[in-house]
Amino acid sequence: MKILTAAQLAEADKVTLEKQDITSEELMERAGTLVFNEIHKRLQGAPIPIKIFCGIGNNGGDGLVVARHLIQHGYEVRTFIVNYSDKRSEDFLSNYEKLKEITNDWPELIKSKNGFPEIHTGDFVIDALFGIGLNRAVEGWPADLINLINTSQAFVLSIDMPSGLAPDQVFKDGAVIKAGYTLSFQSPKLSFYLPDTMEYVGDLQVIDIALDREYLGKVDSNIFLIGKEEAQSLYRSRKINSHKGDYGKVLIIGGSYGKIGSVILASRAAMRSGTGLCTVYIPECGYDALQISIPEVMVLTDQNSKMITKFPSDFDADVFCFGMGAGTNEATANALGEFLETQKKPVVIDADGINILSKNKSLLKKMPENSVITPHPGELKRLIGEWKDDFDKLDKVKALSKKFKLIIVVKGAHTFIVNNEEVYINSSGNPGMATAGSGDVLSGVITSFIGQNYSSLAATILAVYLHGSSGTLVSDQLGYESLLAGDIADNIGRAVQQLFNRNPEPEQKN
Ligand SMILES: NC(=O)C1=CN([C@@H]2O[C@H](COP(=O)(O)OP(=O)(O)OC[C@H]3O[C@@H](n4cnc5c(N)ncnc54)[C@H](OP(=O)(O)O)[C@@H]3O)[C@@H](O)[C@H]2O)[C@@H](O)CC1
Ligand SMILES: [K+]
């Protein structure tokens, strides 16, 4: 699914009015009615005190439409106009008049802190203060109101965006509504998925308000949300008449004394994801552990017993993966440098491999095109330095991807896959996956798919999605705490099966 910017959504709005020959007030009525329907479906007329806080722009206008429908359906509603400016939008004003026509309980005007109502734990708060028109941090008494709502422990539903959050930028130090539920129009917004802002969104539902299909189809977005449908479209099923040679010959290089488990996990994940032939290259100390843990994998050993000092020079693999548990010894770094001198096929570099790249940035130039690196936040910081905010981070990652033609997997609650200017945001997974070895498994799955002849980008997107949905399948049974990285590897096959069954997709909640 495409993720649109505020500017693209405003353009979609404009095109829709022209093409569907409707007024902006009619579109607001459509959007507000759909929000009302969702609320009504859940509340079923329950006598819960509802407090709606409306700004004076179009987000506030949506709030007024919702208020009118709720009142007409007999709900107990108090509507507040949060008068942070005199520049009321036209559609806000017409809905203000419409509301006054149907009730004697006119909206209450809030102009300062003195006008704040009491908000109780059992209240149902609807936040229609600001939407995608927010253009600066929320400060002063409107910020105090947001803080009051946030500390009230009332359930908060935000219309389109949690107020104070902007779709494509962050405003430092402004107040932001912490929503329990967000009903967002047409497209999710980028800030819903970024580490610093995702916590404000609560559970997310995107409402199709039928903006112009043609515009939505053609609009040039570089940001995509990856869900079940997208993963399905990337997956290629096996031919009946095939043999192990058709499914890739991969070599995974890594491990050091005390960290052989990382290579066991990566190779197990590669095998569980369909690799035809998997060989690992490890320090000698890991030989027995590997052979015993996973007999399907072949083992080559370095002449050094405790670390990698040389890469096998004559091994012909379809794809190489390096880094997990390897340490950052000079001998290991030199071995990687020497290997990259001659390497032409994409490689997957993880963990200590990335730390070696960070310490020896000249190696980045030697990385073959379309290689994949999979940093977690700490590794990323070592690679690109500090960032101001998540948007700045994304810009820096894009620049790195572009400069060295790399696919960069920015791991997090929502993993981002960056390929030049394009950003793919993963929607699967859960907090139980924040566990040792989870990244080793992911590298194994990516490597496996590249070996099976997926493009590096397709392999990475599919691997990240399946890794997340496998994690969810496991935690659905064991809970978050008990999930082990090895379980993620072992359930990749079930995650593939799940791509094609009709159950709702195991998605991550914000
Ligand atoms: N896209 C679509 O298709 C559809 C969109 N719809 C709805 O429209 C919403 C967007 O509406 P919008 O453009 O009127 O902006 P909105 O968010 O209400 O606020 C603007 C006001 O806030 C002000 N302001 C800004 N920042 C501020 C701050 N920090 N502190 C104080 N003031 C601040 C700003 O004033 P100014 O900057 O001029 O001072 C302006 O007055 C969208 O989210 C959705 O709900 C649906 O109805 C139908 C289909
Ligand atoms: K809002």
Side-chain angles (χ1 to χ4, degrees), residues 59 127-131 157-164 177:
N59 195 254
D127 151 37
L129 290 167
F130 301 101
L157 179 139
S158 287
I159 299 181
D160 204 20
M161 307 268 315
S163 295
I177 286 282

Side-chain angles (χ1 to χ4, degrees), residues 12-28:
D13 184 333
K14 209 170 104 197
V15 172
T16 304
L17 302 186
E18 275 166 31
K19 291 266 209 63
Q20 298 179 7
D21 194 20
I22 54 171
T23 63
S24 54
E25 197 184 331
E26 284 168 317
L27 183 57
M28 184 177 281

Side-chain angles (χ1 to χ4, degrees), residues 99-385:
L99 185 64
K100 290 201 287 192
E101 282 163 22
I102 61 127
T103 175
N104 292 327
D105 294 329
W106 285 14
E108 300 165 49
L109 203 63
I110 304 180
K111 287 178 164 170
S112 70
K113 239 174 153 167
N114 296 335
F116 292 178
E118 278 184 27
I119 304 173
H120 306 285
T121 312
D123 287 351
F124 183 90
V125 168
I126 298 178
D127 151 37
L129 290 167
F130 301 101
I132 60 172
L134 188 88
N135 52 31
R136 58 193 181 276
V138 182
E139 291 166 340
W141 66 263
D144 294 334
L145 177 63
I146 288 179
N147 293 331
L148 177 72
I149 293 172
N150 285 345
T151 49
S152 68
Q153 295 190 354
F155 183 82
V156 182
L157 179 139
S158 287
I159 299 181
D160 204 20
M161 307 268 315
S163 295
L165 203 62
D168 325 302
Q169 54 190 319
V170 265
F171 299 116
K172 238 178 150 252
D173 301 330
V176 183
I177 286 282
K178 202 159 184 329
Y181 204 97
T182 298
L183 284 169
S184 198
F185 296 136
Q186 204 66 60
S187 152
K189 282 65 175 171
L190 178 56
S191 55
F192 293 177
Y193 301 99
L194 294 167
D196 290 346
T197 42
M198 60 179 282
E199 63 174 317
Y200 295 105
V201 181
D203 288 343
L204 171 66
Q205 185 184 343
V206 178
I207 303 186
D208 182 355
I209 58 168
L211 295 183
D212 182 59
R213 291 274 174 264
E214 197 184 340
Y215 176 86
L216 296 175
K218 282 194 185 152
V219 64
D220 200 7
S221 170
N222 286 328
I223 313 169
F224 307 90
L225 185 66
I226 302 300
K228 185 171 177 175
E229 216 174 281
E230 289 79 9
Q232 240 178 33
S233 72
L234 292 174
Y235 177 78
R236 293 197 319 250
S237 56
R238 291 194 165 210
K239 288 180 293 187
I240 294 183
N241 182 14
S242 58
H243 58 89
K244 66 184 177 208
D246 294 329
Y247 299 109
K249 193 172 167 191
V250 314
L251 181 65
I252 299 175
I253 303 164
S256 56
Y257 185 80
K259 291 189 178 157
I260 294 299
S262 59
V263 187
I264 296 175
L265 286 168
S267 53
R268 185 157 143 199
M271 290 306 297
R272 287 288 194 199
S273 319
T275 289
L277 287 160
C278 178
T279 305
V280 298
Y281 184 85
I282 51 170
E284 226 234 306
C285 65
Y287 183 79
D288 289 348
L290 230 136
Q291 290 273 267
I292 293 165
S293 315
I294 175 152
E296 294 83 356
V297 167
M298 292 165 282
V299 185
L300 299 170
T301 56
D302 196 282
Q303 62 204 24
N304 190 297
S305 70
K306 294 191 171 173
M307 63 177 162
I308 302 286
T309 57
K310 198 167 174 36
F311 283 38
S313 54
D314 51 355
F315 195 93
D316 182 27
D318 296 314
V319 55
F320 292 83
C321 172
F322 169 70
M324 57 285 297
T328 55
N329 268 291
E330 204 183 328
T332 312
N334 290 341
L336 174 65
E338 210 175 285
F339 166 75
L340 289 178
E341 287 291 350
T342 55
Q343 187 53 28
K344 298 271 184 304
K345 294 176 190 162
V347 294
V348 178
I349 305 267
D350 184 25
D352 280 334
I354 300 170
N355 292 331
I356 291 176
L357 293 178
S358 306
K359 281 192 194 163
N360 308 269
K361 295 235 165 61
S362 60
L363 291 183
L364 284 164
K365 279 197 234 108
K366 297 183 184 168
M367 296 273 287
E369 256 183 51
N370 292 318
S371 288
V372 182
I373 58 173
T374 57
H376 63 52
E379 290 157 357
L380 186 66
K381 214 161 264 181
R382 288 192 274 281
L383 200 58
I384 63 171

